[in-house]
Amino acid sequence: MGAQKKRAAAAAAAARVSEDPDDLARQPLQAILLADSFTTKFRPITLERPKVLLPLVNVPMINYTLAWLEAAGVAEVFVFCCAHSKQVIDYLENSEWFSQPNFTVKTIESHNIISAGDALRLIYEQNVIHGDFVLISGDTVSNMSLTQALQEHKERKKKDNNAVMTMIIKKSKPSPITRQSRLGTDELFMAIDPNTKQLLYYEDKADHSKGTICLDKMLLAENPSISLHNDKQDCYIDICSPEVLSLFTDNFDYQHLRRHFVKGLLLDDIMGYKIFTHEIHSSYAARIDNYRSYDIVSKDIIQRWTYPYVPDVKFCGNRATKLERRGMYRALEIEQSRSAQVGSFTVIGYGTKIGSNSKISDSVIGEGCTIGSNVLIEGSYIWDNVIIEDGCELRHVIVCDGVIMKAGAVLKPGVVLSFKVVIGERFVVPAYSKVSLLQQPTVHDSDEELEYADNSSGTVEFSSIQGTADQSNGEMTSESSEAHKPKLGTGGVGYIWSICEGGQEEEWRHSVAPIPEDKLTELSEAMDDDQELVTQDRTALSTSGELISDSNASEGDDNEDSKDDSVYFEKEVEATFLRAVEENVKVDHVILEVNSLRLSYNMTSADCAGAVFYSMMKLAIKTPHSSAIGLLTLYPSPFSMVASNAYPIYLSGELQQNTANIITTWQKLLKSYLLEIDEEIEIILKFEEMCLESAKEFSPLFARILHILYDKDILQEDAILRWADEKEGADESDKVFVRQSEKFIQWLREASEEED
Amino acid sequence: MPDTQALVNDFLNKLKKLKIEGSQATARQNAELLRSVISQQRVPYTNQAGALIDAVKAVGEQLIAANPVELAVGNIVRRVLHIIREEDLSLTTAAIGGLNLSAVSDDENDDDRDGDSTLSAAAVAAAARSTLRPPSLQTLLEDTPVSAAVPQTSSSGGDSEGKSKSADKSSRSRKLKHDVIEAVNEQIADIVICHEQIAEQAVEHIHQNEVILTLGSSRTVLEFLFAAKEKKRSFRVFVAEGAPRYQGHLLAKELVARGLQTTLITDSAVFAMISRVNMVIVGAHAVMANGGVIAPVGMNLVALAAQKHAVPFVVLAGSHKLCPLYPHNPEVLLNELRSPSELLDFGEFSDCMDFGSGSGSPLLHVVNPAFDYVPPKLVSLFITDAGGHNPSYMYRLIADYYSADDLVVQRRATAGN
């Protein structure tokens, strides 16, 4: 009986095992393709045509995504159309995608959707997704095989119901200088459990100025090992379980897939949902996010990393193109002058004409273009039916359909010409400018929600403006001579958009043009400076750390952490002190306040002494000199800017007087922190440092002020002598002030000997 | 005929997206597709052969354009066209023969020949002779009479037709289609069993204690070696791994699984090892009309090494790989450049391909060609399913398989566009 039961159980288990592959086969894989990126990075082009229909090496982007989905074994794709949905649907209807066997494409249209989150919520309501699905946006190029990733996802899901998503990543090193990936996106930090491949941390907007990233301590507590990567590229291909959709519905504030959803899941451990990663090695995957990635992915395609999705393979009804030597792709019926030079890694579309002595390299030329003679085209993307007249120069630009460039026009690197723009004769379009027939939307909104609304209004506007443009060029030119519009040369049509959002500074990061040489050197210098600064800080820190270590040995260990604190502390003390001077607060109260600061910042009394002394000295400089010409007051606060040798010597008496006054007034405050000789030495060192760096005015007065301090009983002779002894072994440069006060020290020594 | 159209589209899709691996599978599926095209094609009253040829050509154009690298597609299209012509010819000959025998009873039925009903017997004989194929070298060598060159089925069918009844039009048209389909079926069977037919000849070429060198992986070579092994020949095989796809590894595995003594070497070690080799046996992607071979990359290197050391270089190819075109023909796409990711890992080299800095064009180019061209003078022997041949004999073999009218299927295509 028992044996029978066991056998039955075994049979059932076997049945279950055998069922699983069936399951895989029976349940057709579905995919959601977002045909809208919900961003504005491709403006002004995307005002007139949706991003997914922009040609990438002469094939609309969405074709790469659909071809890959089909090859990867996806049976049903829901194309979510939003901005310009009509165009997307029309395109798909006329394409061959609707007539493929074993591959259905369905469109979902909506106009009031403003984010990926909303789109997924809508799809959830429609209840069309039944199993695991692939979430992808229509601007992704890939040739990876989904089988393994899908298998892993399903197995994980079986073991742990909370494993809702598998994110595809790929190794790609970011540039150390620009802090961005080769695709022009910001450096991405990911923490991944090396064993389970679980994603633990995701940060694509790390603050590089700070130079630090923060990991939750709990991460380390819960996971025995974490590998933190900055050389992984997010491919924006996700394999999701149906729960993802309901999660979006539950959390109605999730908008952005990564910023809200992924980070939300990672932070929120109430539900315990987990995200895993799958790294691909030999296959290719990349998303076109900005103009730079458009450029990079185009070049990857031309270099055949995306094989078989390359121009000479007809993966989606593209025109027959032949690959010739040195990576030159040419379609049929091209008219090329014998003297024209077409360089390597260039794609030339069907029916294009190229005039004599023109030079083309590293570029993509669309269909039906007419290129005159003596034209120079370098690293540019020229779409269909563009007319470029004789002698034009184009370097690293994007030129959309129907643009006309009159003879001798020049496009500087990074220019984007939107549809049907006309550039006048010999007009030079400045670098990184964007030219469109449409006027730049005047209301600038950083809020994503409004961006879409803007998009739609842009389309409406387009139709009207295009009308006027078609009516007569003359009208447009007369219009364009109005004050508020920059002209595009004689006969030019279009508006140059003013560069917005961070201006020129950020523009080069995402443009099609390679990063200019000077920018790179500038950046690398800045980086060197940064590093120097850091090392400087370290050395400064270690000297002070040395001192502290006498009183508190353990302090030295976490110097790095306390570095920031000590700077803040100094500032706080200075502020307190200045307020006290202004409002005539009693010395006792100031002591109390500084003490509380000391406690809250966990500082030693030596630090307090240093900070207080520092504040006093600053005050001494700042105090307006009664009779002086006031050269100093011309430079109120940044003392360091004033070169010390330019400093008129007759002010030094004044300054000395001031200092003496302040020290007498506030000596009680200072004394309350000078409990031991160490603190006194700290003060001398601090003073020395000030004289060298932040307040060079004092450097000629060093010995005298030292004397004042001695006179007022703030410094004991022991401290001064010990300081002098310590400096004995130091560098020559360090000894400047010891020299200066040599007489005084000599005097002190003699005095003490006499006493003895 | 939505049915055929769907089939054609499906196959086109597969071809375009490179979903079919191997020229044998391509050839077989292609022949099957053409068979269904022929069977679905409605044949008009007159000029049936012409209609069939047009139908096949129309489909063939698309197929050839879909993946110009896979020459087997074009070969099969041309072969089927040739079959149609042959069958038509043999039927005509038979009909003429029938006319000769029973000229009186036939003349009102034979539409084609209506105007020529007064033909003299001599004229008919001359016409029949002129339409017959020129005798091939093979048939001459085999010492068979010229009439036997006409395929068996059709000649007997023609006889029976001529004798049994006054040739009914509809039955005759059905007859042509039927014969063509029969012949295509034979063709398909030939493609399917080509490995075995080639392998049968293995014992004649591989001798005891020999050392055989091969490159990459080819099913034909595998079967060939295995057939020799079956016949109790003991020999050793050197396998060059065939970078960057390393299919040699798979071949070595298979050979070992079948009990053959195998040595795996790198491609670059071929020259060092060649002096110990008695014979090089390799597969091919296509054999051109001049006897040149399009073969996996690295083959030219092996062929040159073999020539240097006077080692016979033997190429195995099923007859569907015989291409009637010459390699210098601009319509022949000799090579295919595959993804660079087969050579190197993208992640490791991603910083070399940062186009964002510098001049914007990458300093690193990766070229990964799939094929090599081996000139005919380096090839010692071709072994096809029809036997062993010298490279200089290839044109003759091709003349047997293809008719000269069909060599330019593609030119019509481009002109049509």
Side-chain angles (χ1 to χ4, degrees):
Chain A
M1 184 65 189
Q4 224 171 9
K5 217 179 229 171
K6 210 183 270 172
R7 207 174 303 146
R16 209 177 305 134
V17 168
S18 68
E19 226 173 60
D20 284 336
D22 281 358
D23 253 1
L24 284 180
R26 203 162 2 96
Q27 201 168 54
L29 185 60
Q30 292 175 310
I32 296 177
L33 190 155
L34 301 175
D36 195 332
S37 58
F38 304 106
T39 60
T40 55
K41 294 206 173 126
F42 269 83
R43 280 193 182 189
I45 303 175
T46 43
L47 286 184
E48 296 168 45
R49 194 188 279 186
K51 184 174 160 196
V52 292
L53 294 188
L54 304 185
L56 182 69
V57 196
N58 293 341
V59 175
M61 281 181 203
I62 196 169
N63 283 322
Y64 288 94
T65 318
L66 285 172
W68 171 70
L69 285 174
E70 195 207 358
V74 172
E76 196 174 17
V77 178
F78 295 97
V79 178
F80 192 91
C81 313
C82 196
H84 306 286
S85 54
K86 195 95 198 84
Q87 283 187 49
V88 178
I89 292 170
D90 281 354
Y91 177 80
L92 287 175
E93 269 166 4
N94 292 326
S95 73
E96 55 182 28
W97 292 114
F98 276 150
S99 58
Q100 297 286 319
N102 311 323
F103 185 66
T104 40
V105 177
K106 288 179 186 153
T107 52
I108 299 175
E109 191 181 358
S110 173
H111 294 288
N112 44 13
I113 293 296
I114 45 166
S115 72
D118 287 344
L120 293 179
R121 279 185 277 276
L122 189 85
I123 290 170
Y124 180 70
E125 280 165 23
Q126 300 209 343
N127 199 21
V128 286
I129 298 291
H130 310 296
D132 290 348
F133 64 96
V134 179
L135 180 59
I136 191 171
S137 76
D139 43 15
T140 311
V141 179
S142 175
N143 62 356
M144 68 172 282
S145 150
L146 269 182
T147 340
Q148 206 200 337
L150 203 63
Q151 195 83 31
E152 283 176 13
H153 178 79
K154 286 193 190 278
E155 268 162 27
R156 268 197 295 265
K157 189 79 208 297
K158 219 178 287 166
K159 278 190 216 130
D160 181 354
N161 215 30
N162 283 333
V164 288
M165 182 160 135
T166 301
M167 193 190 269
I168 310 293
I169 56 171
K170 180 166 177 59
K171 187 172 176 184
S172 173
K173 298 174 194 164
S175 158
I177 301 171
T178 55
R179 291 275 157 213
Q180 64 179 7
S181 70
R182 60 193 291 275
L183 292 174
T185 49
D186 290 331
E187 193 174 14
L188 171 67
F189 291 98
M190 277 182 169
I192 296 168
D193 187 321
N195 300 317
T196 61
K197 304 283 176 226
Q198 188 185 345
L199 181 71
L200 302 167
Y201 175 80
Y202 184 99
E203 183 57 68
D204 55 351
K205 292 256 181 288
D207 187 4
H208 296 300
S209 56
K210 225 163 101 188
T212 52
I213 56 168
C214 303
L215 284 178
D216 195 348
K217 217 162 138 193
M218 288 306 287
L219 274 184
L220 289 165
E222 283 163 11
N223 302 282
S225 57
I226 286 180
S227 46
L228 184 66
H229 302 272
N230 76 337
D231 61 347
K232 301 288 184 232
Q233 166 202 330
D234 186 352
C235 301
Y236 295 95
I237 299 171
D238 304 322
I239 301 169
C240 306
S241 299
E243 285 92 333
V244 170
L245 291 181
S246 53
L247 269 172
F248 266 100
T249 316
D250 295 345
N251 300 281
F252 52 85
D253 54 335
Y254 283 176
Q255 305 288 350
H256 191 272
L257 278 181
R258 293 289 184 257
R259 226 174 293 151
H260 300 123
F261 177 70
V262 169
K263 285 186 186 168
L265 282 200
L266 289 176
L267 288 179
D268 171 33
D269 42 25
I270 301 165
M271 304 297 285
Y273 284 117
K274 291 172 189 161
I275 298 173
F276 289 83
T277 57
H278 173 81
E279 189 173 354
I280 51 172
H281 294 279
S282 60
S283 35
Y284 184 86
R287 180 174 170 215
I288 294 157
D289 177 65
N290 49 41
Y291 287 121
R292 178 168 308 289
S293 39
Y294 178 85
D295 173 53
I296 302 279
V297 173
S298 297
K299 281 179 173 148
D300 287 342
I301 291 171
I302 293 169
Q303 299 231 354
R304 308 180 75 79
W305 286 99
T306 57
Y307 184 91
Y309 309 114
V310 287
D312 58 327
V313 176
K314 286 190 262 180
F315 57 93
C316 64
N318 40 345
R319 290 224 191 232
T321 305
K322 269 195 177 178
L323 172 58
E324 296 171 13
R325 271 160 207 266
R326 300 193 301 141
M328 193 163 77
Y329 297 83
R330 289 210 286 186
L332 303 170
E333 312 210 356
I334 291 171
E335 274 178 42
Q336 184 185 338
S337 158
R338 187 168 283 275
S339 57
Q341 295 174 26
V342 178
S344 56
F345 297 105
T346 298
V347 179
I348 297 180
Y350 178 84
T352 286
K353 298 185 183 71
I354 301 170
S356 53
N357 290 319
S358 290
K359 286 183 189 161
I360 301 176
S361 63
D362 296 304
S363 301
V364 177
I365 316 278
E367 293 176 7
C369 294
T370 309
I371 294 167
S373 46
N374 298 313
V375 173
L376 182 90
I377 300 177
E378 216 179 83
S380 301
Y381 298 89
I382 293 167
W383 297 358
D384 300 345
N385 302 315
V386 173
I387 297 172
I388 298 174
E389 294 181 359
D390 299 354
C392 290
E393 279 184 34
L394 297 87
R395 285 195 177 84
H396 306 289
V397 297
I398 292 179
V399 178
C400 297
D401 291 4
V403 168
I404 298 171
M405 285 181 66
K406 297 274 171 68
V410 176
L411 301 186
K412 293 281 184 195
V415 168
V416 174
L417 299 186
S418 189
F419 298 93
K420 296 194 173 120
V421 164
V422 180
I423 302 292
E425 225 168 278
R426 282 194 287 282
F427 185 75
V428 179
V429 183
Y432 301 117
S433 47
K434 306 203 164 38
V435 185
S436 171
L437 284 187
L438 305 176
Q439 243 174 323
Q440 187 164 18
T442 41
V443 193
H444 177 69
D445 36 40
S446 58
D447 196 20
E448 252 178 290
E449 300 190 16
L450 290 169
E451 274 173 13
Y452 171 70
D454 233 29
N455 253 349
S456 60
S457 69
T459 358
V460 179
E461 191 187 355
F462 169 57
S463 48
S464 59
I465 282 203
Q466 194 188 26
T468 57
D470 287 348
Q471 272 168 20
S472 72
N473 277 1
E475 195 185 319
M476 276 309 272
T477 41
S478 67
E479 260 183 67
S480 66
S481 59
E482 281 172 43
H484 67 283
K485 280 177 228 156
K487 275 177 73 173
L488 287 169
T490 41
V493 179
Y495 304 93
I496 295 183
W497 283 28
S498 61
I499 291 157
C500 50
E501 287 174 66
Q504 196 95 3
E505 187 48 45
E506 285 306 303
E507 207 59 42
W508 54 267
R509 277 186 182 273
H510 302 305
S511 123
V512 271
I515 300 163
E517 208 65 49
D518 49 336
K519 208 86 206 176
L520 278 179
T521 48
E522 193 181 296
L523 274 173
S524 57
E525 271 166 17
M527 196 177 58
D528 288 350
D529 286 354
D530 271 4
Q531 271 173 355
E532 265 169 40
L533 210 81
V534 169
T535 45
Q536 252 180 22
D537 282 354
R538 291 253 166 80
T539 50
L541 216 71
S542 64
T543 50
S544 62
E546 221 171 87
L547 264 173
I548 293 163
S549 66
D550 289 0
S551 55
N552 190 351
S554 68
E555 199 83 341
D557 291 338
D558 40 29
N559 267 339
E560 309 221 349
D561 296 334
S562 64
K563 175 200 136 195
D564 275 347
D565 280 358
S566 65
V567 173
Y568 286 125
F569 174 69
E570 243 167 46
K571 280 199 180 135
E572 288 268 348
V573 170
E574 195 185 337
T576 316
F577 181 72
L578 287 178
R579 192 163 43 80
V581 174
E582 272 169 30
E583 296 172 11
N584 277 329
V585 181
K586 276 187 186 165
V587 175
D588 290 340
H589 294 179
V590 180
I591 292 174
L592 263 180
E593 275 188 51
V594 173
N595 270 341
S596 68
L597 279 175
R598 180 175 82 101
L599 289 174
S600 67
Y601 280 92
N602 194 18
M603 293 291 165
T604 60
S605 52
D607 287 323
C608 292
V612 170
F613 180 72
Y614 178 75
S615 325
M616 286 164 71
M617 286 303 164
K618 276 254 164 132
L619 180 70
I621 299 174
K622 261 187 224 175
T623 313
H625 308 293
S626 47
S627 62
I629 307 133
L631 211 159
L632 254 181
T633 46
L634 286 178
Y635 307 93
S637 71
F639 295 104
S640 52
M641 305 290 278
V642 184
S644 64
N645 25 0
Y647 187 77
I649 201 73
Y650 55 84
L651 276 180
S652 57
E654 202 78 49
L655 188 60
Q656 189 186 346
Q657 193 55 48
N658 270 334
T659 318
N661 285 345
I662 287 167
I663 290 175
T664 10
T665 330
W666 296 98
Q667 56 178 313
K668 196 182 167 200
L669 174 63
L670 200 53
K671 268 184 189 161
S672 64
Y673 294 103
L674 300 176
L675 308 172
E676 283 179 56
I677 206 158
D678 286 330
E679 278 99 40
E680 290 172 25
I681 296 174
E682 167 76 17
I683 283 190
I684 302 174
L685 286 170
K686 188 89 199 168
F687 188 40
E688 206 179 4
E689 193 188 308
M690 278 179 81
C691 292
L692 278 173
E693 282 165 18
S694 54
K696 289 186 177 150
E697 297 83 356
F698 281 115
S699 49
L701 300 175
F702 185 85
R704 285 186 219 175
I705 291 174
L706 203 64
H707 196 180
I708 296 173
L709 290 170
Y710 177 73
D711 276 354
K712 301 283 175 194
D713 271 354
I714 292 168
L715 297 181
Q716 295 167 29
E717 55 181 74
D718 271 4
I720 297 171
L721 289 177
R722 258 176 66 181
W723 167 71
D725 288 346
E726 254 176 50
K727 285 283 166 178
E728 204 85 326
D731 286 346
E732 277 307 301
S733 58
D734 263 0
K735 282 204 230 168
V736 180
F737 295 107
V738 184
R739 289 271 167 70
Q740 206 186 7
S741 40
E742 208 163 332
K743 271 189 182 165
F744 177 58
I745 294 167
Q746 195 66 35
W747 179 77
L748 280 176
R749 283 224 169 100
E750 279 163 11
S752 64
E753 269 165 28
E754 270 171 29
E755 265 177 42
D756 287 345
Chain B
M1 268 147 283
D3 220 20
T4 20
Q5 201 49 50
L7 280 175
V8 170
N9 282 342
D10 189 34
F11 188 66
L12 277 176
N13 244 324
K14 284 185 187 164
L15 278 179
K16 278 181 188 168
K17 289 168 188 163
L18 314 172
K19 275 185 188 162
I20 310 175
E21 271 286 312
S23 48
Q24 197 213 8
T26 316
R28 190 172 51 81
Q29 292 187 29
N30 191 3
E32 282 166 0
L33 174 75
L34 290 178
R35 181 180 60 187
S36 57
V37 167
I38 292 167
S39 65
Q40 297 278 329
Q41 179 67 31
R42 199 166 296 175
V43 190
Y45 203 61
T46 55
N47 193 18
Q48 303 107 345
L52 282 184
I53 286 172
D54 282 349
V56 171
K57 268 194 175 171
V59 174
E61 269 170 26
Q62 302 175 36
L63 295 179
I64 292 169
N67 184 3
V69 170
E70 188 53 273
L71 295 166
V73 175
N75 299 346
I76 293 300
V77 170
R78 291 187 184 95
R79 187 74 66 85
V80 169
L81 289 172
H82 180 64
I83 286 170
I84 297 170
R85 286 178 204 277
E86 288 280 284
E87 295 299 334
D88 184 41
L89 181 66
S90 69
L91 272 187
T92 317
T93 333
I96 292 165
L99 187 76
N100 259 340
L101 292 175
S102 51
V104 194
S105 67
D106 255 12
D107 62 350
E108 91 259 49
N109 293 324
D110 224 335
D111 244 350
D112 303 29
R113 304 281 166 185
D114 251 358
D116 308 310
S117 55
T118 54
L119 279 177
S120 69
V124 171
R129 207 178 302 130
S130 71
T131 49
L132 275 174
R133 293 188 300 179
S136 82
L137 183 58
Q138 200 173 8
T139 48
L140 285 178
L141 286 175
E142 283 163 9
D143 203 20
T144 43
V146 174
S147 59
V150 181
Q152 203 61 38
T153 49
S154 56
S155 65
S156 65
D159 281 349
S160 67
E161 192 209 353
K163 280 172 199 159
S164 62
K165 46 189 161 217
S166 49
D168 179 19
K169 284 300 146 194
S170 59
S171 83
R172 209 200 123 180
S173 70
R174 217 179 294 138
K175 184 85 198 120
L176 174 68
K177 228 166 93 169
H178 175 76
D179 288 348
V180 168
I181 288 170
E182 274 298 297
V184 173
N185 276 338
E186 269 177 46
Q187 180 65 51
I188 293 169
D190 274 355
I191 294 169
V192 172
I193 61 162
C194 76
H195 294 315
E196 288 146 52
Q197 284 188 328
I198 294 171
E200 268 172 24
Q201 308 163 46
V203 269
E204 297 162 27
H205 298 281
I206 298 178
H207 307 291
Q208 196 70 13
N209 292 329
E210 274 192 342
V211 176
I212 310 290
L213 178 101
T214 186
L215 173 92
S217 174
S218 154
R219 172 131 181 258
T220 325
V221 172
L222 179 72
E223 299 285 337
F224 193 80
L225 296 174
F226 187 54
K229 162 84 181 162
E230 286 278 275
K231 300 265 168 63
K232 301 280 180 272
R233 288 280 147 84
S234 102
F235 56 96
R236 287 184 296 150
V237 184
F238 286 179
V239 181
E241 60 184 356
R245 295 181 81 189
Y246 301 110
Q247 289 187 314
H249 298 177
L250 300 176
L251 181 77
K253 216 173 181 178
E254 292 260 351
L255 289 173
V256 169
R258 298 193 182 188
L260 270 161
Q261 178 64 51
T262 309
T263 309
L264 189 69
I265 59 171
T266 59
D267 294 348
S268 38
V270 163
F271 208 92
M273 305 298 268
I274 199 83
S275 57
R276 293 162 58 188
V277 170
N278 296 94
M279 186 187 267
V280 179
I281 299 179
V282 293
H285 172 69
V287 178
M288 307 310 287
N290 65 344
V293 180
I294 296 174
V297 70
M299 204 61 92
N300 201 15
L301 185 111
V302 177
L304 284 167
Q307 189 200 36
K308 175 92 177 165
H309 287 264
V311 176
F313 186 82
V314 178
V315 176
L316 310 183
S319 58
H320 58 270
K321 288 185 179 175
L322 297 187
C323 180
L325 303 172
Y326 285 85
H328 48 74
N329 186 338
E331 280 181 14
V332 177
L333 192 58
L334 283 178
N335 222 332
E336 186 187 15
L337 293 179
R338 302 180 61 91
S339 168
S341 61
E342 287 175 358
L343 267 73
L344 46 84
D345 186 44
F346 188 87
E348 286 302 317
F349 284 81
S350 60
D351 43 351
C352 304
M353 279 165 302
D354 191 355
F355 313 119
S357 45
S359 67
S361 70
L363 294 172
L364 178 71
H365 295 164
V366 186
V367 179
N368 180 15
F371 302 118
D372 243 358
Y373 172 68
V374 181
K377 64 172 182 186
L378 297 181
V379 181
S380 319
L381 188 69
F382 283 104
I383 301 178
T384 71
D385 32 1
H389 309 284
N390 210 38
S392 60
Y393 181 69
M394 273 302 133
Y395 83 97
R396 192 57 243 170
L397 207 58
I398 279 160
D400 279 354
Y401 284 126
Y402 305 99
S403 80
D405 301 342
D406 302 325
L407 296 188
V408 282
V409 186
Q410 250 168 318
R411 184 168 305 161
R412 260 204 58 191
T414 48
N417 275 353

